Amino acid sequence: MAEQKAPGFETRAIHAGAAPDPTTGARVTPIYQTTSYVFDDVDHAASLFNLQTYGYIYSRLTNPTVSVLEERVANLEGGRGAVACASGHAAQMLAFFAFMEPGDEFLASTKLYGGSITQFGRSFKKFGWNVIFVDPDDPQNFKRALTPKCKAIFVESLANPGGVVTDLEAIAAIAKEAGIPLIVDNTMASPYLCRPIEWGATLVIHSTTKFLSGHGNSMGGIVVDSGKFDWSSSPKFRGLTDPEPAYHGLKFHETFGDLAFTVAGHALGLRDLGAAMAPLNAFLTITGIETLPLRMERHVANSEKVARFLEQHPAVGWVSYAGLESSPYRKLAKKYLPKGAGSVFTFGLKGGYEAGVKLVENVEIFSHLANIGDTRSLIIHPASTTHRQLSDEQKLAAGAGPDVVRVSIGLETADDLIADLDQALKKAA
Ligand SMILES: *Cc1c(COP(=O)(O)O)cnc(C)c1O
């Protein structure tokens, strides 16, 4: 027999994790709209509760529709397993919850989604989890900022909103030397454009709300575990190595090996944080992923056209898109994002804050809203919206100064998008 070639990304985007429904033959994964699952008998129930057998108890922990999504995204990212959550922020919370204790620290890039800066800097403080923000443009900054209490490094592969590409391989080497996991938010790239585990990431996070669901119709998040981190390598990761009293002293890493994070993410993280993904949202996200490769190709092609148009427009001071030859991140983009630098980028208006406000108020095809990764083209002025809670200094550090406009280029006809921006730029001038 001829040697079986591993299926390609497009094939896996449609088939990974799914099979026809065993009872009905339904070809599409059904929405298992149920809270709970009948036990065969008392022994079966006991083995489920003891984590000795695989199966379903209650949809806060696991649900068959959500499980298909988890397997599919884990497969596309090259991970061992995944935990789906109610939102991207819930996924971030769950990732850190696995090993952080009060008084612990972690390093995070300054170039992050505005909501993540707020979540890490303010709400995480209430748990005693302290973030140290680091400029990612020089990877050595992470090495310099490390402290003995640091338990992780968190970056975005392609940063929201500035068109910043992170040097994943260099930062992964620093995390590895320090014996701590590298967590990469891969929301803006999607696994079609970038696969952080191949560069050394331990955990990969997505807000599935964005490109994975892809149609602006369902909230969700996911943590993919590479399965490659040795949680027992130091006493730092007690949540995964110490006996767990709620499961008769079971030790997750010792018992489940490279599935330790995935099992604990459900059995402890979802059980106690409660931020489970709804089965309907999992269904919509599975459906979205089936066209992810096609959509990302068009997102990238449209973005390159729009970015080149903006770059030569007299009202525009600069365009920060890693897909342009002029970008300082061009070299990193070629390495980490060989199929394109995504479809979210920023540009600066010579008319500053006032021009930004007028532009978003005058577009017709673009929608003025706070999301990215939709089929529709979206526009926002971060300084007056998503990043308004940050200090002026944090705004600049996050690439969200007063003149900055962020677009998420959709799948419409590129010429229509260019014409729409052109007429709105005239009104904003
Ligand atoms: C939207 C977003 C998040 C947060 O995800 P939600 O689904 O809105 O909770 C995190 N990181 C990035 C890069 C995002 O774009």
Side-chain angles (χ1 to χ4, degrees):
M1 249 174 66
E3 200 180 315
Q4 201 82 33
K5 202 167 162 265
F9 190 95
E10 291 78 3
T11 306
R12 291 181 286 125
I14 292 169
H15 293 286
D21 186 64
T23 40
T24 63
R27 187 64 191 86
V28 171
T29 299
I31 305 168
Y32 284 91
Q33 192 65 36
T34 184
T35 55
S36 25
Y37 308 83
V38 176
F39 307 122
D40 297 344
D41 52 36
V42 171
D43 283 345
H44 176 228
S47 63
L48 283 169
F49 278 101
N50 288 343
L51 303 179
Q52 286 160 342
T53 193
Y54 181 77
Y56 298 97
I57 298 175
Y58 189 58
S59 287
R60 170 152 42 76
L61 306 169
T62 46
N63 169 281
T65 314
V66 177
S67 297
V68 169
L69 174 69
E70 291 172 334
E71 250 189 78
R72 183 161 305 172
V73 180
N75 180 297
L76 295 179
E77 286 286 0
R80 183 68 180 89
V83 188
C85 299
S87 69
H89 268 13
Q92 289 175 181
M93 171 72 82
L94 183 132
F96 285 101
F97 180 74
F99 50 78
M100 293 291 278
E101 309 279 339
D104 284 345
E105 297 179 333
F106 67 100
L107 307 182
S109 165
T110 48
K111 309 249 168 91
L112 295 183
Y113 172 68
S116 299
I117 294 177
T118 309
Q119 185 191 36
F120 294 171
R122 294 185 177 276
S123 291
F124 276 19
K125 269 216 178 84
K126 296 187 180 178
F127 305 115
W129 304 347
N130 301 312
V131 62
I132 301 166
F133 286 111
V134 174
D135 181 348
D137 282 342
D138 179 359
Q140 292 308 313
N141 288 343
F142 289 95
K143 192 165 182 170
R144 287 189 274 271
L146 279 170
T147 71
K149 286 183 183 169
C150 273
K151 283 196 172 171
I153 297 179
F154 185 100
V155 299
E156 291 181 7
S157 51
L158 179 61
N160 178 350
V164 171
V165 183
T166 307
D167 192 347
L168 297 179
E169 192 173 26
I171 298 168
I174 292 165
K176 190 169 186 190
E177 197 189 317
I180 58 176
L182 172 64
I183 308 175
V184 179
D185 181 338
N186 198 31
T187 299
M188 294 249 295
S190 89
Y192 182 69
L193 299 178
C194 178
R195 280 171 305 282
I197 290 171
E198 292 173 6
W199 301 105
T202 304
L203 302 177
V204 175
I205 306 243
H206 283 279
S207 165
T208 63
T209 312
K210 316 294 170 52
F211 292 100
L212 291 181
S213 67
H215 296 70
N217 61 14
S218 44
M219 298 295 302
I222 199 160
V223 188
V224 178
D225 178 25
S226 63
K228 290 181 179 152
F229 190 80
D230 181 5
W231 303 106
S232 302
S233 61
S234 90
K236 278 188 177 169
F237 309 102
R238 291 187 353 232
L240 292 161
T241 56
D242 277 12
E244 172 54 44
Y247 291 104
H248 305 299
L250 177 147
K251 298 175 184 171
F252 279 93
H253 193 218
E254 189 184 283
T255 308
F256 298 106
D258 62 2
L259 271 172
F261 179 91
T262 303
V263 178
H266 291 94
L268 303 177
L270 287 179
R271 185 196 68 187
D272 293 346
L273 298 174
M277 182 185 272
L280 173 61
N281 285 4
F283 172 83
L284 291 168
T285 308
I286 292 165
T287 308
I289 289 172
E290 292 177 4
T291 56
L292 178 74
L294 281 173
R295 287 187 289 106
M296 293 315 291
E297 264 176 35
R298 181 61 62 85
H299 276 302
V300 165
N302 279 359
S303 299
E304 287 174 357
K305 286 182 194 158
V306 173
R308 280 198 293 270
F309 159 77
L310 288 169
E311 197 169 40
Q312 52 73 47
H313 198 284
V316 174
W318 52 267
V319 180
S320 178
Y321 178 51
L324 288 173
E325 288 303 327
S326 59
S327 167
Y329 298 100
R330 188 72 184 136
K331 222 177 117 197
L332 288 173
K334 281 201 166 127
K335 173 171 176 180
Y336 295 109
L337 304 150
K339 288 186 175 152
S343 83
V344 180
F345 64 88
T346 51
F347 56 96
L349 293 170
K350 288 181 185 161
Y353 191 94
E354 292 304 317
V357 170
K358 278 197 189 139
L359 177 66
V360 298
E361 286 180 347
N362 280 293
V363 285
E364 286 165 10
I365 296 176
F366 279 79
S367 301
H368 177 210
L369 55 75
N371 192 24
I372 58 169
D374 195 324
T375 53
R376 282 151 278 264
S377 288
L378 316 173
I379 192 164
I380 202 159
H381 181 226
S384 61
T385 53
T386 49
H387 286 61
R388 69 177 301 136
Q389 284 154 16
L390 306 184
S391 68
D392 285 350
E393 200 181 37
Q394 282 177 318
K395 277 185 196 139
L396 285 177
D403 61 328
V404 178
V405 173
R406 183 188 77 195
V407 284
S408 172
I409 301 299
L411 308 178
E412 303 95 334
T413 308
D415 285 347
D416 294 344
L417 300 177
I418 288 171
D420 190 28
L421 288 171
D422 199 33
Q423 63 81 23
L425 282 166
K426 281 200 182 92
K427 289 182 183 143

